[in-house]
Amino acid sequence: MKILIVGGAGYIGSHMCKMLVHSGSEIIVLDNLSTGFQEMVKYGEFVQGDLANQELLDSLLMKNEFDGVIHFAANSLVGESMSNPSKYYQNNVGNTLNLLDAMVRHDVKNFIFSSTAATFGEPEYSPIDERHPQKPINPYGASKLMVERILQDYANAYGLNSVSLRYFNACGADPEGEMGECHDPETHLIPLILQAASGRRKCITVFGRDYATGDGTCVRDYIHINDLCSAHALALDMIVSGKKDGALAYNLGNGHGFSVQQVIDVVKKVVAEDGCNLVVEEGERRAGDPAVLVADSSLARQTLGWQPKYGDLETIVRHAWAWEKTFV
Ligand code: UFG
């Protein structure tokens, strides 16, 4: 297969490139490097460019006969989306439309889209399956939901097949240590705790201990990056082979919730083997954080035949710690 990976210089995209090349696909990475890093593009041909550039899209899609497109490029900071919604609607919706329209013009029929748990908003029940109402509470989630809706209309009108994959908490790193999580600024729990342990950060602050959960800290569904990527590969195979068509959507998590305190405890255990420890500080709740966010991924397991391999939090933390140690 020949695949265009948009946003392939980012955290999830870079791992996806490795998996696809290892399974025999030919890939081209398109990334504007606004949040990604060229050093993370270790597989495939790299094209630096922006989805706002329609001429570039036309020339890429004209020169190459892509079987499909996987689209990771987006802004994904919930807080920033509240203060600068324009950026989120312009990039996550407007630029995605440019890409979809170019696909329609050049008759590329298969599209895998990075969606998010944030499309659901405040959970009405847990675990969250695909029937859960989608009522996003921030522009980031709203921008992703808009694209999901656009994809339904594009399936009906233009026969564009798509799979929207709604990620819960992506984490971990390449088990072989070649790549890992790299955000600037970093806002995610696991890399922040690991940076506190490696000494790159002074401490980790726990955002609230008064939630209605077992230990009072928020519960999330942490899913290993390679498990996320394997779901993308299966989803792409499913629509490229014609097994299913239309606009489909699946929730991706490992189905187990872990509290912030449980994550800290596992990290402490893992880093202690290297003689490291970390300072934990107490903070206020972060605005917009639901107490519990856990996925019901049975539909993805049944339909895609997807089997997450790294559901165990300690393995996830070990891979992420190996990556963190490359910075110190
Ligand atoms: N947390 C802390 N301290 C920190 C950072 C995070 O206690 O320094 C807590 C948060 O309050 C939250 C948990 O750790 O309870 C996880 O926080 P992350 O920021 O790592 O992840 P989120 O659950 O907030 O974000 C994820 C995805 C987003 C998506 C969101 C949906 O990463 O893309 O779920 O709500 F929008």
PDB file of all heavy atoms in Angstrom, residues 167-200:
ATOM      1  N   TYR A 167      -9.249   8.623  20.386  1.00  0.00           N
ATOM      2  CA  TYR A 167      -8.238   8.216  21.355  1.00  0.00           C
ATOM      3  C   TYR A 167      -8.640   8.658  22.749  1.00  0.00           C
ATOM      4  O   TYR A 167      -9.122   9.763  22.944  1.00  0.00           O
ATOM      5  CB  TYR A 167      -6.883   8.884  21.089  1.00  0.00           C
ATOM      6  CG  TYR A 167      -6.370   8.855  19.682  1.00  0.00           C
ATOM      7  CD1 TYR A 167      -5.471   9.835  19.264  1.00  0.00           C
ATOM      8  CD2 TYR A 167      -6.731   7.868  18.778  1.00  0.00           C
ATOM      9  CE1 TYR A 167      -4.962   9.839  17.982  1.00  0.00           C
ATOM     10  CE2 TYR A 167      -6.224   7.865  17.494  1.00  0.00           C
ATOM     11  CZ  TYR A 167      -5.347   8.855  17.095  1.00  0.00           C
ATOM     12  OH  TYR A 167      -4.836   8.872  15.826  1.00  0.00           O
ATOM     13  N   PHE A 168      -8.324   7.820  23.714  1.00  0.00           N
ATOM     14  CA  PHE A 168      -8.390   8.242  25.107  1.00  0.00           C
ATOM     15  C   PHE A 168      -6.971   8.750  25.438  1.00  0.00           C
ATOM     16  O   PHE A 168      -6.506   9.637  24.744  1.00  0.00           O
ATOM     17  CB  PHE A 168      -8.984   7.125  25.975  1.00  0.00           C
ATOM     18  CG  PHE A 168     -10.508   7.112  25.808  1.00  0.00           C
ATOM     19  CD1 PHE A 168     -11.095   6.864  24.571  1.00  0.00           C
ATOM     20  CD2 PHE A 168     -11.347   7.456  26.857  1.00  0.00           C
ATOM     21  CE1 PHE A 168     -12.485   6.938  24.387  1.00  0.00           C
ATOM     22  CE2 PHE A 168     -12.735   7.524  26.694  1.00  0.00           C
ATOM     23  CZ  PHE A 168     -13.293   7.268  25.458  1.00  0.00           C
ATOM     24  N   ASN A 169      -6.251   8.244  26.401  1.00  0.00           N
ATOM     25  CA  ASN A 169      -4.946   8.870  26.715  1.00  0.00           C
ATOM     26  C   ASN A 169      -3.788   8.110  26.076  1.00  0.00           C
ATOM     27  O   ASN A 169      -3.348   7.073  26.599  1.00  0.00           O
ATOM     28  CB  ASN A 169      -4.771   8.955  28.228  1.00  0.00           C
ATOM     29  CG  ASN A 169      -5.729   9.970  28.824  1.00  0.00           C
ATOM     30  OD1 ASN A 169      -6.948   9.792  28.792  1.00  0.00           O
ATOM     31  ND2 ASN A 169      -5.190  11.061  29.325  1.00  0.00           N
ATOM     32  N   ALA A 170      -3.298   8.639  24.968  1.00  0.00           N
ATOM     33  CA  ALA A 170      -2.175   8.014  24.264  1.00  0.00           C
ATOM     34  C   ALA A 170      -0.906   8.166  25.104  1.00  0.00           C
ATOM     35  O   ALA A 170      -0.631   9.244  25.630  1.00  0.00           O
ATOM     36  CB  ALA A 170      -1.978   8.701  22.917  1.00  0.00           C
ATOM     37  N   CYS A 171      -0.138   7.098  25.219  1.00  0.00           N
ATOM     38  CA  CYS A 171       1.088   7.197  26.031  1.00  0.00           C
ATOM     39  C   CYS A 171       2.043   6.066  25.678  1.00  0.00           C
ATOM     40  O   CYS A 171       1.760   5.247  24.822  1.00  0.00           O
ATOM     41  CB  CYS A 171       0.735   7.153  27.512  1.00  0.00           C
ATOM     42  SG  CYS A 171      -0.219   5.711  27.926  1.00  0.00           S
ATOM     43  N   GLY A 172       3.196   6.046  26.348  1.00  0.00           N
ATOM     44  CA  GLY A 172       4.198   5.021  26.070  1.00  0.00           C
ATOM     45  C   GLY A 172       5.105   5.457  24.936  1.00  0.00           C
ATOM     46  O   GLY A 172       5.049   6.598  24.465  1.00  0.00           O
ATOM     47  N   ALA A 173       5.955   4.539  24.509  1.00  0.00           N
ATOM     48  CA  ALA A 173       6.937   4.850  23.475  1.00  0.00           C
ATOM     49  C   ALA A 173       7.261   3.580  22.705  1.00  0.00           C
ATOM     50  O   ALA A 173       6.900   2.472  23.134  1.00  0.00           O
ATOM     51  CB  ALA A 173       8.198   5.414  24.126  1.00  0.00           C
ATOM     52  N   ASP A 174       7.949   3.765  21.593  1.00  0.00           N
ATOM     53  CA  ASP A 174       8.395   2.648  20.774  1.00  0.00           C
ATOM     54  C   ASP A 174       9.139   1.633  21.664  1.00  0.00           C
ATOM     55  O   ASP A 174      10.119   1.996  22.314  1.00  0.00           O
ATOM     56  CB  ASP A 174       9.334   3.210  19.696  1.00  0.00           C
ATOM     57  CG  ASP A 174       9.983   2.124  18.876  1.00  0.00           C
ATOM     58  OD1 ASP A 174       9.341   1.080  18.659  1.00  0.00           O
ATOM     59  OD2 ASP A 174      11.144   2.322  18.452  1.00  0.00           O
ATOM     60  N   PRO A 175       8.684   0.375  21.701  1.00  0.00           N
ATOM     61  CA  PRO A 175       9.348  -0.614  22.566  1.00  0.00           C
ATOM     62  C   PRO A 175      10.830  -0.770  22.236  1.00  0.00           C
ATOM     63  O   PRO A 175      11.614  -1.181  23.084  1.00  0.00           O
ATOM     64  CB  PRO A 175       8.590  -1.913  22.285  1.00  0.00           C
ATOM     65  CG  PRO A 175       7.263  -1.474  21.756  1.00  0.00           C
ATOM     66  CD  PRO A 175       7.506  -0.176  21.031  1.00  0.00           C
ATOM     67  N   GLU A 176      11.243  -0.442  21.004  1.00  0.00           N
ATOM     68  CA  GLU A 176      12.665  -0.542  20.646  1.00  0.00           C
ATOM     69  C   GLU A 176      13.425   0.742  20.942  1.00  0.00           C
ATOM     70  O   GLU A 176      14.616   0.860  20.634  1.00  0.00           O
ATOM     71  CB  GLU A 176      12.798  -0.913  19.162  1.00  0.00           C
ATOM     72  CG  GLU A 176      12.342  -2.331  18.904  1.00  0.00           C
ATOM     73  CD  GLU A 176      12.036  -2.617  17.448  1.00  0.00           C
ATOM     74  OE1 GLU A 176      12.248  -1.723  16.592  1.00  0.00           O
ATOM     75  OE2 GLU A 176      11.565  -3.735  17.169  1.00  0.00           O
ATOM     76  N   GLY A 177      12.735   1.733  21.478  1.00  0.00           N
ATOM     77  CA  GLY A 177      13.416   2.943  21.951  1.00  0.00           C
ATOM     78  C   GLY A 177      13.798   3.946  20.873  1.00  0.00           C
ATOM     79  O   GLY A 177      14.544   4.888  21.123  1.00  0.00           O
ATOM     80  N   GLU A 178      13.270   3.741  19.653  1.00  0.00           N
ATOM     81  CA  GLU A 178      13.682   4.634  18.564  1.00  0.00           C
ATOM     82  C   GLU A 178      12.983   5.993  18.599  1.00  0.00           C
ATOM     83  O   GLU A 178      13.473   6.973  18.062  1.00  0.00           O
ATOM     84  CB  GLU A 178      13.326   3.948  17.243  1.00  0.00           C
ATOM     85  CG  GLU A 178      14.458   3.918  16.268  1.00  0.00           C
ATOM     86  CD  GLU A 178      13.994   3.327  14.956  1.00  0.00           C
ATOM     87  OE1 GLU A 178      13.299   2.297  14.961  1.00  0.00           O
ATOM     88  OE2 GLU A 178      14.327   3.924  13.929  1.00  0.00           O
ATOM     89  N   MET A 179      11.803   6.035  19.206  1.00  0.00           N
ATOM     90  CA  MET A 179      11.037   7.282  19.258  1.00  0.00           C
ATOM     91  C   MET A 179      10.104   7.254  20.462  1.00  0.00           C
ATOM     92  O   MET A 179       9.893   6.201  21.070  1.00  0.00           O
ATOM     93  CB  MET A 179      10.244   7.468  17.956  1.00  0.00           C
ATOM     94  CG  MET A 179       9.421   6.270  17.614  1.00  0.00           C
ATOM     95  SD  MET A 179       8.973   6.086  15.904  1.00  0.00           S
ATOM     96  CE  MET A 179      10.488   5.989  15.070  1.00  0.00           C
ATOM     97  N   GLY A 180       9.557   8.422  20.800  1.00  0.00           N
ATOM     98  CA  GLY A 180       8.678   8.502  21.965  1.00  0.00           C
ATOM     99  C   GLY A 180       7.959   9.826  21.986  1.00  0.00           C
ATOM    100  O   GLY A 180       7.932  10.553  20.975  1.00  0.00           O
ATOM    101  N   GLU A 181       7.406  10.146  23.146  1.00  0.00           N
ATOM    102  CA  GLU A 181       6.567  11.344  23.248  1.00  0.00           C
ATOM    103  C   GLU A 181       7.441  12.583  23.359  1.00  0.00           C
ATOM    104  O   GLU A 181       8.423  12.602  24.098  1.00  0.00           O
ATOM    105  CB  GLU A 181       5.676  11.219  24.492  1.00  0.00           C
ATOM    106  CG  GLU A 181       4.547  12.206  24.514  1.00  0.00           C
ATOM    107  CD  GLU A 181       3.421  11.795  25.449  1.00  0.00           C
ATOM    108  OE1 GLU A 181       3.530  10.760  26.131  1.00  0.00           O
ATOM    109  OE2 GLU A 181       2.418  12.539  25.498  1.00  0.00           O
ATOM    110  N   CYS A 182       7.073  13.614  22.633  1.00  0.00           N
ATOM    111  CA  CYS A 182       7.875  14.830  22.571  1.00  0.00           C
ATOM    112  C   CYS A 182       6.951  15.999  22.262  1.00  0.00           C
ATOM    113  O   CYS A 182       6.591  16.205  21.107  1.00  0.00           O
ATOM    114  CB  CYS A 182       8.861  14.661  21.415  1.00  0.00           C
ATOM    115  SG  CYS A 182      10.489  15.207  21.766  1.00  0.00           S
ATOM    116  N   HIS A 183       6.497  16.690  23.295  1.00  0.00           N
ATOM    117  CA  HIS A 183       5.636  17.853  23.060  1.00  0.00           C
ATOM    118  C   HIS A 183       6.285  19.075  23.672  1.00  0.00           C
ATOM    119  O   HIS A 183       6.949  18.981  24.697  1.00  0.00           O
ATOM    120  CB  HIS A 183       4.261  17.664  23.722  1.00  0.00           C
ATOM    121  CG  HIS A 183       3.459  16.537  23.168  1.00  0.00           C
ATOM    122  ND1 HIS A 183       3.138  15.412  23.897  1.00  0.00           N
ATOM    123  CD2 HIS A 183       2.899  16.370  21.957  1.00  0.00           C
ATOM    124  CE1 HIS A 183       2.410  14.600  23.146  1.00  0.00           C
ATOM    125  NE2 HIS A 183       2.249  15.151  21.962  1.00  0.00           N
ATOM    126  N   ASP A 184       6.050  20.198  23.059  1.00  0.00           N
ATOM    127  CA  ASP A 184       6.554  21.440  23.624  1.00  0.00           C
ATOM    128  C   ASP A 184       5.463  22.504  23.493  1.00  0.00           C
ATOM    129  O   ASP A 184       5.211  22.963  22.385  1.00  0.00           O
ATOM    130  CB  ASP A 184       7.820  21.868  22.875  1.00  0.00           C
ATOM    131  CG  ASP A 184       8.454  23.077  23.549  1.00  0.00           C
ATOM    132  OD1 ASP A 184       8.098  23.361  24.702  1.00  0.00           O
ATOM    133  OD2 ASP A 184       9.291  23.735  22.896  1.00  0.00           O
ATOM    134  N   PRO A 185       4.776  22.887  24.548  1.00  0.00           N
ATOM    135  CA  PRO A 185       5.003  22.457  25.937  1.00  0.00           C
ATOM    136  C   PRO A 185       4.440  21.055  26.178  1.00  0.00           C
ATOM    137  O   PRO A 185       3.499  20.636  25.497  1.00  0.00           O
ATOM    138  CB  PRO A 185       4.188  23.491  26.734  1.00  0.00           C
ATOM    139  CG  PRO A 185       3.060  23.883  25.811  1.00  0.00           C
ATOM    140  CD  PRO A 185       3.646  23.841  24.425  1.00  0.00           C
ATOM    141  N   GLU A 186       5.009  20.352  27.150  1.00  0.00           N
ATOM    142  CA  GLU A 186       4.457  19.050  27.544  1.00  0.00           C
ATOM    143  C   GLU A 186       3.350  19.281  28.571  1.00  0.00           C
ATOM    144  O   GLU A 186       3.528  20.058  29.502  1.00  0.00           O
ATOM    145  CB  GLU A 186       5.555  18.161  28.145  1.00  0.00           C
ATOM    146  CG  GLU A 186       5.112  16.741  28.427  1.00  0.00           C
ATOM    147  CD  GLU A 186       4.501  16.067  27.189  1.00  0.00           C
ATOM    148  OE1 GLU A 186       5.255  15.650  26.295  1.00  0.00           O
ATOM    149  OE2 GLU A 186       3.251  15.986  27.126  1.00  0.00           O
ATOM    150  N   THR A 187       2.188  18.662  28.349  1.00  0.00           N
ATOM    151  CA  THR A 187       1.079  18.840  29.301  1.00  0.00           C
ATOM    152  C   THR A 187       0.581  17.494  29.816  1.00  0.00           C
ATOM    153  O   THR A 187      -0.279  17.452  30.689  1.00  0.00           O
ATOM    154  CB  THR A 187      -0.122  19.545  28.621  1.00  0.00           C
ATOM    155  OG1 THR A 187      -0.577  18.715  27.543  1.00  0.00           O
ATOM    156  CG2 THR A 187       0.241  20.925  28.101  1.00  0.00           C
ATOM    157  N   HIS A 188       1.082  16.392  29.251  1.00  0.00           N
ATOM    158  CA  HIS A 188       0.513  15.077  29.583  1.00  0.00           C
ATOM    159  C   HIS A 188       1.150  14.458  30.819  1.00  0.00           C
ATOM    160  O   HIS A 188       2.345  14.618  31.067  1.00  0.00           O
ATOM    161  CB  HIS A 188       0.646  14.137  28.382  1.00  0.00           C
ATOM    162  CG  HIS A 188      -0.175  14.587  27.226  1.00  0.00           C
ATOM    163  ND1 HIS A 188       0.375  15.101  26.079  1.00  0.00           N
ATOM    164  CD2 HIS A 188      -1.515  14.649  27.062  1.00  0.00           C
ATOM    165  CE1 HIS A 188      -0.604  15.447  25.250  1.00  0.00           C
ATOM    166  NE2 HIS A 188      -1.759  15.183  25.826  1.00  0.00           N
ATOM    167  N   LEU A 189       0.317  13.732  31.529  1.00  0.00           N
ATOM    168  CA  LEU A 189       0.705  13.257  32.863  1.00  0.00           C
ATOM    169  C   LEU A 189       1.968  12.383  32.858  1.00  0.00           C
ATOM    170  O   LEU A 189       2.912  12.659  33.607  1.00  0.00           O
ATOM    171  CB  LEU A 189      -0.463  12.480  33.495  1.00  0.00           C
ATOM    172  CG  LEU A 189      -0.173  11.964  34.906  1.00  0.00           C
ATOM    173  CD1 LEU A 189      -0.042  13.120  35.887  1.00  0.00           C
ATOM    174  CD2 LEU A 189      -1.257  10.992  35.367  1.00  0.00           C
ATOM    175  N   ILE A 190       1.991  11.332  32.052  1.00  0.00           N
ATOM    176  CA  ILE A 190       3.095  10.369  32.173  1.00  0.00           C
ATOM    177  C   ILE A 190       4.451  11.012  31.831  1.00  0.00           C
ATOM    178  O   ILE A 190       5.392  10.914  32.628  1.00  0.00           O
ATOM    179  CB  ILE A 190       2.800   9.068  31.375  1.00  0.00           C
ATOM    180  CG1 ILE A 190       1.628   8.344  32.071  1.00  0.00           C
ATOM    181  CG2 ILE A 190       4.038   8.173  31.285  1.00  0.00           C
ATOM    182  CD1 ILE A 190       1.180   7.052  31.426  1.00  0.00           C
ATOM    183  N   PRO A 191       4.578  11.721  30.696  1.00  0.00           N
ATOM    184  CA  PRO A 191       5.895  12.351  30.453  1.00  0.00           C
ATOM    185  C   PRO A 191       6.256  13.381  31.522  1.00  0.00           C
ATOM    186  O   PRO A 191       7.436  13.500  31.872  1.00  0.00           O
ATOM    187  CB  PRO A 191       5.748  13.005  29.076  1.00  0.00           C
ATOM    188  CG  PRO A 191       4.308  12.961  28.740  1.00  0.00           C
ATOM    189  CD  PRO A 191       3.682  11.856  29.539  1.00  0.00           C
ATOM    190  N   LEU A 192       5.255  14.073  32.062  1.00  0.00           N
ATOM    191  CA  LEU A 192       5.578  15.061  33.107  1.00  0.00           C
ATOM    192  C   LEU A 192       6.109  14.375  34.366  1.00  0.00           C
ATOM    193  O   LEU A 192       7.095  14.840  34.963  1.00  0.00           O
ATOM    194  CB  LEU A 192       4.341  15.901  33.457  1.00  0.00           C
ATOM    195  CG  LEU A 192       3.913  16.926  32.396  1.00  0.00           C
ATOM    196  CD1 LEU A 192       2.608  17.599  32.803  1.00  0.00           C
ATOM    197  CD2 LEU A 192       4.998  17.977  32.178  1.00  0.00           C
ATOM    198  N   ILE A 193       5.494  13.270  34.748  1.00  0.00           N
ATOM    199  CA  ILE A 193       5.986  12.564  35.956  1.00  0.00           C
ATOM    200  C   ILE A 193       7.399  12.052  35.692  1.00  0.00           C
ATOM    201  O   ILE A 193       8.292  12.145  36.553  1.00  0.00           O
ATOM    202  CB  ILE A 193       5.091  11.365  36.346  1.00  0.00           C
ATOM    203  CG1 ILE A 193       3.636  11.773  36.510  1.00  0.00           C
ATOM    204  CG2 ILE A 193       5.586  10.735  37.646  1.00  0.00           C
ATOM    205  CD1 ILE A 193       2.710  10.602  36.841  1.00  0.00           C
ATOM    206  N   LEU A 194       7.621  11.513  34.491  1.00  0.00           N
ATOM    207  CA  LEU A 194       8.943  10.961  34.179  1.00  0.00           C
ATOM    208  C   LEU A 194      10.004  12.069  34.145  1.00  0.00           C
ATOM    209  O   LEU A 194      11.145  11.849  34.560  1.00  0.00           O
ATOM    210  CB  LEU A 194       8.897  10.204  32.847  1.00  0.00           C
ATOM    211  CG  LEU A 194       8.048   8.929  32.894  1.00  0.00           C
ATOM    212  CD1 LEU A 194       7.901   8.337  31.499  1.00  0.00           C
ATOM    213  CD2 LEU A 194       8.658   7.896  33.846  1.00  0.00           C
ATOM    214  N   GLN A 195       9.620  13.250  33.675  1.00  0.00           N
ATOM    215  CA  GLN A 195      10.576  14.367  33.680  1.00  0.00           C
ATOM    216  C   GLN A 195      10.906  14.784  35.115  1.00  0.00           C
ATOM    217  O   GLN A 195      12.035  15.187  35.406  1.00  0.00           O
ATOM    218  CB  GLN A 195      10.028  15.553  32.888  1.00  0.00           C
ATOM    219  CG  GLN A 195      10.023  15.293  31.381  1.00  0.00           C
ATOM    220  CD  GLN A 195       9.375  16.422  30.583  1.00  0.00           C
ATOM    221  OE1 GLN A 195       9.141  17.506  31.102  1.00  0.00           O
ATOM    222  NE2 GLN A 195       9.092  16.153  29.320  1.00  0.00           N
ATOM    223  N   ALA A 196       9.921  14.670  35.999  1.00  0.00           N
ATOM    224  CA  ALA A 196      10.195  14.972  37.416  1.00  0.00           C
ATOM    225  C   ALA A 196      11.173  13.935  37.976  1.00  0.00           C
ATOM    226  O   ALA A 196      12.051  14.251  38.783  1.00  0.00           O
ATOM    227  CB  ALA A 196       8.897  14.987  38.216  1.00  0.00           C
ATOM    228  N   ALA A 197      11.035  12.686  37.514  1.00  0.00           N
ATOM    229  CA  ALA A 197      11.921  11.627  38.013  1.00  0.00           C
ATOM    230  C   ALA A 197      13.333  11.735  37.438  1.00  0.00           C
ATOM    231  O   ALA A 197      14.312  11.421  38.114  1.00  0.00           O
ATOM    232  CB  ALA A 197      11.327  10.268  37.659  1.00  0.00           C
ATOM    233  N   SER A 198      13.440  12.202  36.194  1.00  0.00           N
ATOM    234  CA  SER A 198      14.772  12.266  35.564  1.00  0.00           C
ATOM    235  C   SER A 198      15.511  13.541  35.956  1.00  0.00           C
ATOM    236  O   SER A 198      16.687  13.687  35.657  1.00  0.00           O
ATOM    237  CB  SER A 198      14.642  12.211  34.040  1.00  0.00           C
ATOM    238  OG  SER A 198      14.105  13.434  33.561  1.00  0.00           O
ATOM    239  N   GLY A 199      14.786  14.480  36.581  1.00  0.00           N
ATOM    240  CA  GLY A 199      15.423  15.729  36.990  1.00  0.00           C
ATOM    241  C   GLY A 199      15.247  16.841  35.969  1.00  0.00           C
ATOM    242  O   GLY A 199      15.717  17.962  36.161  1.00  0.00           O
ATOM    243  N   ARG A 200      14.526  16.574  34.879  1.00  0.00           N
ATOM    244  CA  ARG A 200      14.303  17.648  33.896  1.00  0.00           C
ATOM    245  C   ARG A 200      13.229  18.618  34.374  1.00  0.00           C
ATOM    246  O   ARG A 200      13.003  19.655  33.770  1.00  0.00           O
ATOM    247  CB  ARG A 200      13.899  17.052  32.546  1.00  0.00           C
ATOM    248  CG  ARG A 200      15.053  16.375  31.845  1.00  0.00           C
ATOM    249  CD  ARG A 200      14.891  16.419  30.345  1.00  0.00           C
ATOM    250  NE  ARG A 200      13.796  15.594  29.858  1.00  0.00           N
ATOM    251  CZ  ARG A 200      13.152  15.836  28.734  1.00  0.00           C
ATOM    252  NH1 ARG A 200      13.460  16.891  27.991  1.00  0.00           N
ATOM    253  NH2 ARG A 200      12.174  15.031  28.337  1.00  0.00           N
TER     254      ARG A 200
END
